[in-house]
Amino acid sequence: EAGVAQSPRYKIIEKRQSVAFWCNPISGHATLYWYQQILGQGPKLLIQFQNNGVVDDSQLPKDRFSAERLKGVDSTLKIQPAKLEDSAVYLCASSLGREETQYFGPGTRLLVL
Amino acid sequence: GDSVTQMEGPVTLSEEAFLTINCTYTATGYPSLFWYVQYPGEGLQLLLKATKADDKGSNKGFEATYRKETTSFHLEKGSVQVSDSAVYFCALAHGSSNTGKLIFGQGTTLQVKP
């Protein structure tokens, strides 16, 4: 069974530029999560989708971050404009349902200069 | 709000040594508790979990017991191997919120030397 796919794996941009990350969850998984992991810290939830609807985006900085999950499958996370403090690993995870085991992708490592 | 605290790392052990990584939590209600592991260059993987008080999660020789009275979920292994070198994350999911959202500790790096 294929795991959660993410791309790109690495991205370097300058501050004020925009960037987008893509996630393809495990087939059939209704719930999709985006986490931000800053170096030396545990992952922090940014946004959670149930199919194509948002369940929780309380910690998403909505002035610069946006995310969508069209058709309830793939998802994109966008940052515009990026700040230095956005440098982190962005993890995508999926699960069959809200209380099921979450499976994580390899992450996208973002460096903002 | 809910939170998870892990012992500071890195933890450096010799092969076959006994491992304990401490984890305590703060939460209202009855969360589920998890240990995730991140091997070098790989994504987070679920290692074990426990969903109610006194439950013991176990996998690959690792164990952790959900202790509600001490709000703890310490990870243990009787004999570590070099291949256990990784970053270990303790996490909780708050059942009452019914979202499955995970709250992680800061992670503990384990280095096992031959």
Side-chain angles (χ1 to χ4, degrees), chain A residues 9 31 33 35 37 40-45 48 55-56 58-59 91 98-106, chain B residues 32 34 36 38 41-46 49 87 89 93 95 97-107:
Chain A
R9 292 295 307 276
T31 312
Y33 308 80
Y35 290 86
Q37 185 178 11
Q41 299 181 19
K44 180 186 79 173
L45 182 72
Q48 177 184 349
V55 174
D56 184 347
S58 57
Q59 298 197 80
L91 298 168
R98 293 181 183 184
E99 296 188 40
E100 302 294 326
T101 297
Q102 293 182 33
Y103 295 87
F104 284 80
Chain B
S32 295
F34 305 82
Y36 277 81
Q38 190 169 36
E42 298 184 17
L44 280 166
Q45 303 173 26
L46 178 65
K49 68 177 182 181
V87 183
F89 292 91
S97 72
N98 201 32
T99 67
K101 165 185 174 180
L102 289 171
I103 295 172
F104 287 88
Q106 75 271 31

Side-chain angles (χ1 to χ4, degrees), chain A residues 42-89:
Chain A
K44 180 186 79 173
L45 182 72
L46 291 175
I47 189 166
Q48 177 184 349
F49 292 93
Q50 182 70 20
N51 296 309
N52 60 350
V54 175
V55 174
D56 184 347
D57 63 356
S58 57
Q59 298 197 80
L60 186 74
K62 298 180 186 66
D63 57 333
R64 298 184 300 106
F65 285 65
S66 64
E68 61 182 8
R69 191 183 183 199
L70 299 176
K71 301 181 182 179
V73 182
D74 292 6
S75 177
T76 57
L77 176 69
K78 297 179 182 178
I79 308 175
Q80 182 178 10
K83 293 186 175 181
L84 297 177
E85 59 260 36
D86 297 332
S87 294
V89 177

